[in-house]
Amino acid sequence: MIRAMLVINNQGKSRLAKFYNYTPVEQQQQLIRSIYSVLCLQPENVSNFIEGGLLLGPDSRLVYKLFATLYFVFVFDSSENELAMFDLIQVYVEILEKCFSNVCELDIVLNYGKMHTILDEMIVGGQVVETNSDIVMKAVEEISKLETTTAGAKLISKSASLLWG
Amino acid sequence: MGSQGGFGQSKEFLDLVKSIGESRSKAEEDRIVLREIETLRRRITEPDIPKRKMKEYIIRLVYIEMLGHDASFGYIHAVKMTHDDSLLLKRTGYLAVTLFLNEDHDLIILIVNTIQKDLKSDNFLVVCAALNAVCKLINDETIPAVLQQVVELLYHPKEAVRKKAVMALHRFYQRSPSSVTHLVTNFRKKLCDNDPGVMGATLCPLFDLIMIDVNSHKDLVGSFVSILKQVAERRLPKSYDYHQTPAPFIQIKLLKILALLGSGDKQSSEQMYTIIGDIMRRSDTTSNIGNAILYECICCVSSIHPSPKLFGAAADAIAKLLKSDVHNLRYMGIDALGRLIRINPEVAEQHQLAVIDCLEDPDDTLKRKTFELLYKMTKSSNVEVIVDRMIEYMISINDNHYKTEIASRCVELAEQFAPSNRWFIQTMNKVFQHAGDLVNPKVAHNLMRLIAEGFGEDDDTADSQLRSSAVESYLRIMGEPKLPSTFLQVICWVLGEYGTADGKYSASYIGGKLCDVAEAHSSDDTVKAYAVTALMKVCSYEKAAGRKLDMLSECQSLIESLSASHSTDLQQRAYELKAIISLDGIAMENIMPLDASCEDIEVIDKSLSFLNSYVQKSLEEGAKPYLTEHERSRTRNISNFRNHDHHDASTHSLRFEAYEVPKPVISARLPPTASLTELAAVREQSYQREVHRSPSVGSLSDKGSQELRLRLDGVQKKWGRPTYSSAASPSTSDSESHTVNGTGKGKSFEPSSRRQPEVEIPEEKQKLAASLFGGTTSKSEKKQSGGGIKGSKATRSTADQTRATTAVVHPPVDLLDFGEPSGAASGSSSTVDPFKQLEGLVDTNQYSNVSKDPDLLSLYSDAASTSGQNQNQETGNLSHGSGNRTTKGPNLKDALGKDALVRQMGVTPATQNPNLFKDLLG
């Protein structure tokens, strides 16, 4: 299963962190720090896989991919295929690209909720459930549409109640 | 900012993010965040906060926690938010609680009710949000509260909900299998869901179930195969394509499942051969995901009952992966190769140069993976090169965790496959020198024992040669700074025992060296203790031999200083030394017999029968019967192995010491002879010691093999004459025959018979390849019929040709030259250079490659062209197989007919066929 999904920028700040098994905050931070310390030393043109060992505990490995300033990282165990995980990053980023055209770090920070929404559509309980970007996109759009309309409706009703209340 | 849609944030949040982003140091960031926490803490408790604002506060809390700060004061607000009617707030609330809380948190109790309500909601987005929370927040106590509802949601009209319900059930299964065992059939049913996405999600729980219990799911093999077939034949909607590959993630999961189901099951495996072959042939090796599928196929092939045809295809696929420039693919190639050599070790030879390239690559991950592969394929013919490489790498890295691992692997391989005793010692020296503090001390004890017992088959000259070369190498090494303590202990012990044995070095020279060690490591009491005892031995041998003993002044001053040491152990040793030196030569010879650390002592009336009458008399008079030493001390020995030597010394001899040794650890680390405290009755005493040692030696080697995976007894058997103690234990004799077999096989090498024709390969690399892959065991030759379709004829002929030149004799290795082993190995290969010999054969190989390929292809295309006819038959079988679950017979037939029709017309259904899986599975 997938143990964690992380987005870390190239200065070591985490931009997104989702752990599929409960991990205390301090442990999360430590993990993010140690992963970053390894990633930032990775030379160019090497494989995108790192085997866990001391870093992540037994039977775990990570796949990372650097997009502009952001490392996208999946931590998972031996029941997953590394290359497939590598492509899962690709899928996720492609979806982000579709959501925010020309996605940049700021989009990710400011749309923290949406990042999670997308991830929740793809991975549930540490298992990949959907990799079809169209379907994920559709679901996310539906959610955001509904959220704006309900929020809008609330606002209208509120202002209405203020007006006549 | 326009892209943010409904997720717009306030200026405040924007500023926060900006200021954190611009902060120069961690401290500055912390200050900003702490200020933010204060603001939020104040604001969040204000009455009448607009909901939108509240949502933003919660998001800010999540953000803060992600940065590693405590946001627990806000948890309750997140929980409250899940109760809200507005979807926006509810979702935010759920998101926050899933990130904040674990399933055992106290606040969960407040959420379960909301979840129950939301699972019933008619808005499917609410249901989805609740299901997401269920996956994270429900523990085994709360499962019953929501279980029924989740099961009902498996049949929800929206596929998104069904998918999440499946995953929620899967999560329940992981948490507490017993709570959902009665629901396992639901997963099987969901496999036939109309929606490919739901079907794909169902594969995750099924994979777990099959992993635990393969046999109860064997009936699904047919279904999985046919689903895989449909996916691979692009019969899923186009939207499931990813980079022109049809639903790759589903394919991968299915292949994983098939690998489990087909493992060791010929019948099931045979059902899979065609489709796996198909997929491998079709896979698009230009894309990453295509290679992911290919890799998964190889894993599957290596796991299921072997099929020669697939094996050949897998080997070719690996060749492609390894030839790639992309590191990721080479990494996967190495991994796949590691799996394939379990079936047929010979397959590695095709790829030798690629493997060496990976080994020399600067990429650490790739390198480590390659070492793992080499570790798996080590045998007596290539152990020297591999271990040499490993040590070289071990020296170069700083990661202690990996260093320990690789050091213990080196030791393991050296013990298992060492071609010569000298090489073994030399290897151990290197390992100790560079990772001494990281290896288990037992390895050191083992080394000492090996040197003492000798390796040769009763060949005393070889043994003494070995010892003197060990002494020589130690004398050279010991001057180097920063040697690990364990290694120094070994050095001292060996110098004490054998330093003067060959007469090359004088006692005073050795004594001086020992003093140097003791002085250079004055903070290490253990090393000092070893040094003093060694000094004592050296002196007494000298005196026993009738030579005049002149102690160097530095030795004397060392002994004086130790007599006043804080460590009572060191004090005692110093006093003992003084006492022994003052004795005459004959007494000395009795106390310290030369090279007697593992002598078998002849037995003088073991049963002490002459005392029988006396014992009988005493018993009649009411004395207690005698308990043997073994019976009395068994418990103590097992629990307290470290104190072992001390105990038996103290129970059997005159005691010159206090009753408790303050530092048992120190005395325990010493080899048996080192703890001699007795001055009389040496013979009986050491006999007892031998007897006594046997259980402990056994336990040591048992432990060793479990913990460290050191094959202690193997080593002993390989080189040592059976000792008095271990010959008795059945476990060791077992391993003896095993090892003997192993080496027997290892002896009959055949040089590599297959080599990829390559252009301009550096000679050095070729040599390395030759020494790594140059030998195949005779065992693998037998297996060849299973794997190597191509070139098998060539192998056979070379086998004949080279049989005459097998049994490569390694020239004696110069112990002193560390750079030698690879040279030695290539030396052996230069006597029978496989490349030279096979030059002529390469062509035939190549030819057979070429000529074989079209055959394979035509076979495949045959299979493909007949698949139309086969299809009916196959699916017919399938319906038969799943007949007990099929209820809609006629429907199935119809669907099959339609399928066949579509296929005949060569049309791929572009639109989704909702009954795709249902038809097949009923």
Side-chain angles (χ1 to χ4, degrees):
Chain A
M1 72 177 276
I2 297 171
R3 299 210 170 127
M5 155 63 174
L6 308 169
V7 180
I8 310 173
N9 81 354
N10 57 4
Q11 277 149 32
K13 292 200 170 69
S14 56
R15 290 305 184 202
L16 182 72
K18 185 136 186 150
F19 290 80
Y20 289 96
N21 286 324
Y22 178 72
T23 321
V25 180
E26 305 79 54
Q27 213 178 319
Q28 291 183 8
Q29 287 305 308
Q30 207 199 341
L31 201 70
I32 292 171
R33 267 198 302 275
S34 53
I35 287 177
Y36 173 72
S37 67
V38 172
L39 289 187
C40 66
L41 292 177
Q42 283 290 99
E44 264 176 62
N45 196 24
V46 296
S47 58
N48 298 69
F49 314 133
I50 294 171
E51 288 195 31
L54 195 63
L55 182 63
L56 310 162
D59 187 32
S60 57
R61 50 204 69 183
L62 69 81
V63 164
Y64 72 94
K65 195 165 186 181
L66 181 64
F67 286 95
T69 54
L70 293 173
Y71 290 101
F72 287 75
V73 182
F74 274 110
V75 183
F76 53 93
D77 65 16
S78 60
S79 69
E80 305 286 343
N81 177 325
E82 281 100 333
L83 282 176
M85 287 296 120
F86 189 61
D87 268 282
L88 197 63
I89 296 178
Q90 186 69 35
V91 173
Y92 187 63
V93 175
E94 275 175 22
I95 295 172
L96 291 183
E97 188 67 37
K98 281 183 190 171
C99 276
F100 326 96
S101 47
N102 258 335
V103 60
C104 67
E105 197 176 334
L106 198 64
D107 288 323
I108 286 169
V109 180
L110 293 178
N111 296 283
Y112 193 72
K114 200 164 188 171
M115 296 282 287
H116 276 287
T117 311
I118 297 170
L119 201 58
D120 284 346
E121 287 303 313
M122 292 172 62
I123 302 167
V124 178
Q127 304 286 344
V128 183
V129 291
E130 193 55 75
T131 46
N132 183 334
S133 59
D134 291 346
I135 291 182
V136 174
M137 273 299 290
K138 223 173 78 192
V140 173
E141 269 163 20
E142 236 168 314
I143 290 166
S144 48
K145 209 163 68 194
L146 222 94
E147 282 182 346
T148 41
T149 52
T150 53
K154 288 278 157 190
L155 279 179
I156 290 166
S157 67
K158 200 162 193 182
S159 48
S161 67
L162 275 177
L163 261 176
W164 290 295
Chain B
M1 296 299 131
S3 62
Q4 288 157 31
F7 296 84
Q9 318 292 346
S10 75
K11 175 133 193 336
E12 250 179 352
F13 186 53
L14 201 71
D15 289 343
L16 172 71
V17 169
K18 249 193 193 153
S19 56
I20 290 177
E22 283 161 3
S23 62
R24 292 265 164 265
S25 65
K26 182 82 186 132
E28 195 182 338
E29 183 191 312
D30 285 350
R31 262 202 310 283
I32 296 168
V33 173
L34 286 176
R35 206 175 331 130
E36 170 74 7
I37 288 177
E38 275 318 304
T39 323
L40 283 177
R41 201 196 289 274
R42 213 174 44 244
R43 293 254 191 95
I44 213 163
T45 47
E46 281 170 11
D48 293 333
I49 310 169
K51 288 185 172 173
R52 261 193 110 69
K53 201 88 194 154
M54 191 66 195
K55 182 215 153 192
E56 195 193 293
Y57 289 155
I58 296 291
I59 291 284
R60 273 152 84 171
L61 278 177
V62 173
Y63 187 70
I64 284 165
E65 188 157 293
M66 186 187 67
L67 292 174
H69 296 267
D70 179 43
S72 55
F73 66 90
Y75 289 180
I76 187 70
H77 297 282
V79 171
K80 259 199 263 174
M81 200 172 244
T82 60
H83 305 331
D84 202 284
D85 292 331
S86 141
L87 180 72
L88 176 68
L89 294 194
K90 192 181 268 302
R91 284 188 56 89
T92 310
Y94 274 131
L95 171 66
V97 288
T98 51
L99 292 170
F100 285 149
L101 308 181
N102 67 336
E103 68 264 23
D104 298 322
H105 199 279
D106 294 337
L107 290 175
I108 294 292
I109 202 81
L110 298 174
I111 303 175
V112 172
N113 222 338
T114 324
I115 290 179
Q116 277 180 323
K117 206 177 81 215
D118 287 344
L119 287 177
K120 281 188 208 134
S121 165
D122 44 7
N123 184 342
F124 83 97
L125 291 174
V126 173
V127 181
C128 281
L131 280 172
N132 273 346
V134 162
C135 287
K136 184 79 195 287
L137 299 177
I138 296 293
N139 63 11
D140 22 338
E141 281 167 36
T142 37
I143 285 175
V146 294
L147 184 59
Q148 194 49 43
Q149 284 172 313
V150 173
V151 172
E152 277 161 20
L153 288 175
L154 286 176
Y155 303 95
H156 194 276
K158 277 279 182 187
E159 59 273 2
V161 175
R162 293 202 299 271
K163 216 159 31 186
K164 295 203 165 160
V166 168
M167 295 326 287
L169 271 188
H170 178 212
R171 201 68 180 157
F172 293 165
Y173 179 78
Q174 285 179 332
R175 286 270 150 71
S176 135
S178 59
S179 66
V180 288
T181 36
H182 60 289
L183 296 167
V184 167
T185 47
N186 281 305
F187 292 134
R188 284 164 165 253
K189 278 189 211 150
K190 280 289 113 187
L191 198 55
C192 333
D193 198 282
N194 293 338
D195 184 69
V198 181
M199 186 276 297
T202 316
L203 297 176
C204 303
L206 281 173
F207 176 75
D208 277 13
L209 285 170
I210 292 169
M211 184 110 86
I212 293 159
D213 179 15
V214 179
N215 287 328
S216 60
H217 296 90
K218 290 276 187 196
D219 57 319
L220 287 177
V221 173
S223 318
F224 287 129
V225 168
S226 70
I227 294 174
L228 186 56
K229 203 176 172 88
Q230 293 180 54
V231 175
E233 285 169 359
R234 296 180 178 275
R235 294 176 58 207
L236 289 186
K238 268 274 177 286
S239 64
Y240 280 87
D241 282 10
Y242 169 80
H243 293 192
Q244 283 95 49
T245 311
F249 293 90
I250 293 179
Q251 286 195 48
I252 286 167
K253 206 80 197 173
L254 280 167
L255 284 167
K256 275 186 190 294
I257 290 175
L258 289 184
L260 289 178
L261 284 170
S263 164
D265 180 348
K266 192 164 180 237
Q267 213 190 339
S268 305
S269 302
E270 276 166 357
Q271 296 182 54
M272 306 168 191
Y273 289 160
T274 328
I275 183 65
I276 296 173
D278 261 8
I279 293 177
M280 283 176 91
R281 200 164 36 82
R282 283 167 186 232
S283 63
D284 164 26
T285 49
T286 54
S287 76
N288 187 54
I289 197 71
N291 283 309
I293 294 175
L294 197 60
Y295 165 79
E296 211 53 59
C297 285
I298 300 170
C299 293
C300 190
V301 167
S302 67
S303 156
I304 63 178
H305 186 86
S307 139
K309 205 203 279 179
L310 284 181
F311 190 88
D316 292 347
I318 288 179
K320 272 188 217 150
L321 286 177
L322 287 176
K323 274 194 201 119
S324 160
D325 288 334
V326 186
H327 283 79
N328 291 346
L329 298 184
R330 283 160 73 186
Y331 173 91
M332 298 312 264
I334 293 281
D335 185 86
L337 190 57
R339 288 165 192 270
L340 219 55
I341 56 167
R342 270 182 284 184
I343 301 180
N344 182 356
E346 259 186 25
V347 74
E349 283 155 34
Q350 296 176 22
H351 309 298
Q352 36 183 293
L353 291 166
V355 171
I356 289 163
D357 278 341
C358 291
L359 199 60
E360 280 162 3
D361 201 275
D363 184 350
D364 238 21
T365 314
L366 188 58
K367 213 176 235 176
R368 288 180 188 189
K369 198 80 195 169
T370 314
F371 275 119
E372 214 167 279
L373 172 73
L374 290 181
Y375 169 74
K376 281 186 207 154
M377 49 181 262
T378 308
K379 49 199 171 194
S380 354
S381 59
N382 57 18
V383 64
E384 293 175 67
V385 193
I386 288 179
V387 171
D388 214 53
R389 284 271 162 165
M390 281 184 166
I391 291 176
E392 211 175 277
Y393 181 61
M394 184 184 81
I395 296 169
S396 72
I397 55 172
N398 292 320
D399 172 0
N400 269 355
H401 178 76
Y402 193 69
K403 212 170 189 168
T404 317
E405 194 181 307
I406 203 164
S408 66
R409 279 187 170 177
C410 285
V411 172
E412 187 188 330
L413 291 179
E415 295 195 336
Q416 227 178 328
F417 297 110
S420 71
N421 41 40
R422 282 161 191 231
W423 178 85
F424 179 76
I425 297 231
Q426 187 186 334
T427 306
M428 296 306 264
N429 282 356
K430 277 195 246 173
V431 174
F432 273 120
Q433 219 175 330
H434 298 288
D437 292 325
L438 302 171
V439 293
N440 193 306
K442 275 172 191 157
V443 176
H445 291 248
N446 192 26
L447 179 60
M448 289 189 251
R449 212 176 68 201
L450 282 167
I451 294 175
E453 285 174 350
F455 308 94
E457 290 74 32
D458 290 324
D459 184 359
D460 281 346
T461 42
D463 283 356
S464 56
Q465 256 177 13
L466 163 77
R467 286 168 192 154
S468 45
S469 55
V471 166
E472 221 163 292
S473 71
Y474 289 156
L475 282 176
R476 203 165 40 79
I477 290 171
M478 70 194 296
E480 285 177 25
K482 284 190 189 167
L483 287 180
S485 171
T486 341
F487 190 40
L488 284 167
Q489 290 162 27
V490 176
I491 291 179
C492 288
W493 188 82
V494 171
L495 288 186
E497 283 286 324
Y498 305 110
T500 53
D502 61 353
K504 202 167 166 189
Y505 300 101
S506 71
S508 53
Y509 178 72
I510 299 286
K513 282 284 187 185
L514 287 167
C515 287
D516 290 347
V517 171
E519 270 155 29
H521 301 85
S522 53
S523 57
D524 189 339
D525 279 358
T526 322
V527 170
K528 275 197 281 185
Y530 267 90
V532 175
T533 310
L535 194 59
M536 174 163 73
K537 279 188 248 178
V538 170
C539 292
S540 49
Y541 295 158
E542 192 69 2
K543 208 156 181 189
R547 285 190 286 270
K548 196 175 163 292
L549 177 73
D550 36 33
M551 283 275 246
L552 291 174
S553 59
E554 50 181 308
C555 292
Q556 264 154 354
S557 62
L558 174 75
I559 294 162
E560 284 312 318
S561 70
L562 289 185
S563 311
S565 165
H566 288 301
S567 155
T568 40
D569 179 68
L570 285 179
Q571 252 187 50
Q572 185 188 333
R573 283 167 201 277
Y575 281 117
E576 275 173 18
L577 196 157
K578 281 193 227 163
I580 288 173
I581 286 173
S582 61
L583 294 171
D584 65 283
I586 298 140
M588 201 88 103
E589 203 176 345
N590 277 329
I591 302 165
M592 293 281 182
L594 195 58
D595 184 20
S597 61
C598 53
E599 281 298 271
D600 300 345
I601 309 292
E602 57 193 88
V603 179
I604 335 149
D605 194 3
K606 200 173 166 186
S607 61
L608 303 178
S609 54
F610 55 88
L611 285 173
N612 278 356
S613 59
Y614 174 76
V615 172
Q616 195 59 35
K617 203 174 136 205
S618 306
L619 281 176
E620 275 162 15
E621 282 166 12
K624 275 188 186 168
Y626 173 71
L627 285 175
T628 59
E629 163 74 27
H630 187 56
E631 281 168 307
R632 261 183 287 140
S633 60
R634 182 185 289 151
T635 45
R636 199 168 42 172
N637 274 337
I638 288 164
S639 65
N640 202 1
F641 171 66
R642 295 194 136 215
N643 281 335
H644 176 75
D645 280 328
H646 169 69
H647 279 309
D648 75 63
S650 57
T651 44
H652 275 280
S653 59
L654 290 174
R655 299 182 59 144
F656 284 78
E657 63 194 305
Y659 279 96
E660 285 301 326
V661 175
K663 285 197 176 173
V665 182
I666 289 172
S667 62
R669 289 239 187 117
L670 298 172
T673 28
S675 66
L676 279 182
T677 46
E678 57 279 347
L679 289 173
V682 187
R683 298 217 150 227
E684 278 100 322
Q685 148 65 33
S686 30
Y687 158 67
Q688 287 289 0
R689 180 189 302 284
E690 279 305 324
V691 169
H692 203 73
R693 253 170 87 178
S694 59
S696 63
V697 168
S699 76
L700 183 137
S701 56
D702 282 351
K703 242 193 201 163
S705 64
Q706 275 166 11
E707 289 173 4
L708 253 186
R709 307 206 297 147
L710 295 185
R711 314 254 158 96
L712 267 186
D713 16 43
V715 175
Q716 192 183 1
K717 287 308 149 196
K718 192 161 176 187
W719 298 299
R721 57 185 102 93
T723 53
Y724 178 73
S725 53
S726 51
S729 100
S731 70
T732 45
S733 61
D734 264 356
S735 71
E736 171 175 27
S737 60
H738 181 76
T739 338
V740 167
N741 279 345
T743 45
K745 266 176 205 152
K747 282 273 158 61
S748 60
F749 311 132
E750 294 160 24
S752 155
S753 57
R754 283 195 259 158
R755 185 170 67 97
Q756 299 282 321
E758 299 267 349
V759 250
E760 280 188 53
I761 291 142
E763 199 182 343
E764 203 179 301
K765 207 180 265 181
Q766 281 198 12
K767 262 186 192 167
L768 180 61
S771 41
L772 271 177
F773 300 89
T776 41
T777 57
S778 51
K779 189 178 68 188
S780 55
E781 192 198 346
K782 226 191 304 171
K783 276 205 179 167
Q784 179 154 20
S785 57
I789 341 162
K790 49 176 190 177
S792 64
K793 206 171 108 198
T795 328
R796 211 163 302 138
S797 62
T798 22
D800 289 339
Q801 202 179 50
T802 50
R803 188 149 297 155
T805 51
T806 48
V808 177
V809 182
H810 294 282
V813 185
D814 185 2
L815 186 67
L816 295 180
D817 190 352
F818 278 164
E820 195 62 17
S822 61
S826 56
S828 73
S829 61
S830 71
T831 52
V832 197
D833 189 347
F835 291 101
K836 280 271 156 54
Q837 282 216 331
L838 295 174
E839 214 85 289
L841 284 160
V842 168
D843 285 345
T844 44
N845 260 340
Q846 209 174 357
Y847 178 71
S848 68
N849 265 348
V850 174
S851 68
K852 210 75 191 179
D853 271 337
D855 270 359
L856 275 177
L857 276 177
S858 65
L859 263 173
Y860 277 127
S861 54
D862 272 354
S865 65
T866 50
S867 71
Q869 292 123 43
N870 285 346
Q871 171 73 11
N872 281 326
Q873 222 177 335
E874 232 167 75
T875 33
N877 283 346
L878 169 71
S879 70
H880 183 72
S882 55
N884 41 4
R885 283 178 295 109
T886 326
T887 44
K888 305 188 251 176
N891 257 351
L892 181 73
K893 243 184 209 165
D894 285 351
L896 288 175
K898 225 184 277 170
D899 262 11
L901 192 70
V902 165
R903 204 173 303 254
Q904 273 168 14
M905 293 165 72
V907 184
T908 330
T911 51
Q912 184 177 345
N913 175 3
N915 287 327
L916 208 57
F917 302 114
K918 194 178 257 173
D919 287 343
L920 278 159
L921 299 160

